Amino acid sequence: MGSKTVDEAGVETGAEAQRDKETVDVTKEAPEAKENTSAESAVDEADASDDVAEEQADEQDEAADGKGASGASAGVGQGAAAIVSAGLGLVSLTGSWIGTIAQARESLYGQLEAAQGVSVATQIKQVYADSWNANALVAGVFALIALLVGVAVLVRPAFGDPDRAPQTPWIKSVAWAGVSLGFLGLVLAAVKYSDILLSTPTVG
């Protein structure tokens, strides 16, 4: 019986030692598991922050592309308007097909009325003065349109989006050319229409 008691005690002591060893292993594994979990959480948070940063960068790029496209389209429109202004101003000074037609039409009406036996002064007025005034009137209309379009191009940036790119120098130069030509054409048309320049011949 004494041998049996010793064996039982040895078995119990071995079992307790095994339990203590398992407890120590579990205790060691717990901090390691916590460390692994913390590391994984930190990696997930870093990945999430990177995704958010990439999304914000993409949104900013899209916004910048949208502003760039709108600014480019606005620049194209302003450039075209400036060229139109300069072209109309040049036409107002050199004459146009419409002005020639209007002048010929008024001259024809004057010849038809002069055939009815009116005085020489009336014939001069109807054949020459009326057609000349018609040409001057058409030139004045072209000059006024050129002047208005040029001024609109120059003042457009003041009423637009301040975030857009500034107006390019060549657009300003062409717009100023249109304004200048339009102003000169308007003055010339007024002078022609009022008979200050190349006045109507008079009968002595």
Side-chain angles (χ1 to χ4, degrees):
M1 294 178 65
S3 175
K4 184 176 180 181
T5 302
V6 171
D7 293 340
E8 291 176 354
V11 172
E12 291 177 356
T13 302
E16 291 176 356
Q18 184 67 25
R19 290 194 200 98
D20 294 338
K21 184 178 181 180
E22 292 177 355
T23 302
V24 171
D25 293 339
V26 171
T27 305
K28 290 181 179 179
E29 291 176 356
E32 293 178 356
K34 290 181 179 179
E35 291 178 358
N36 293 333
T37 304
S38 300
E40 292 177 356
S41 299
V43 171
D44 292 338
E45 291 177 358
D47 293 338
S49 62
D50 291 340
D51 293 338
V52 172
E54 290 178 358
E55 291 179 358
Q56 292 178 350
D58 293 338
E59 291 177 356
Q60 291 176 356
D61 292 339
E62 291 177 358
D65 293 339
K67 289 182 179 179
S70 61
S73 62
V76 171
Q78 293 177 17
I83 294 173
V84 169
S85 174
L88 291 175
L90 186 61
V91 168
S92 69
L93 291 174
T94 59
S96 65
W97 176 78
I98 298 177
T100 303
I101 295 298
Q103 184 175 2
R105 184 184 180 89
E106 288 296 328
S107 178
L108 178 60
Y109 286 156
Q111 292 176 7
L112 293 176
E113 293 177 358
Q116 299 176 0
V118 295
S119 64
V120 176
T122 303
Q123 291 181 13
I124 292 175
K125 179 181 179 302
Q126 292 175 346
V127 175
Y128 177 79
D130 291 348
S131 61
W132 180 253
N133 291 339
N135 193 335
L137 184 61
V138 172
V141 171
F142 275 99
L144 180 61
I145 295 174
L147 183 62
L148 293 177
V149 173
V151 171
V153 172
L154 292 175
V155 302
R156 177 65 180 85
F159 299 97
D161 187 359
D163 294 334
R164 287 182 177 176
Q167 195 176 60
T168 55
W170 75 267
I171 294 178
K172 291 182 179 180
S173 299
V174 177
W176 274 115
V179 171
S180 301
L181 291 173
F183 178 76
L184 291 176
L186 195 60
V187 172
L188 182 61
V191 170
K192 288 166 61 178
Y193 192 85
S194 60
D195 287 341
I196 297 176
L197 178 65
L198 300 176
S199 60
T200 305
T202 58
V203 179

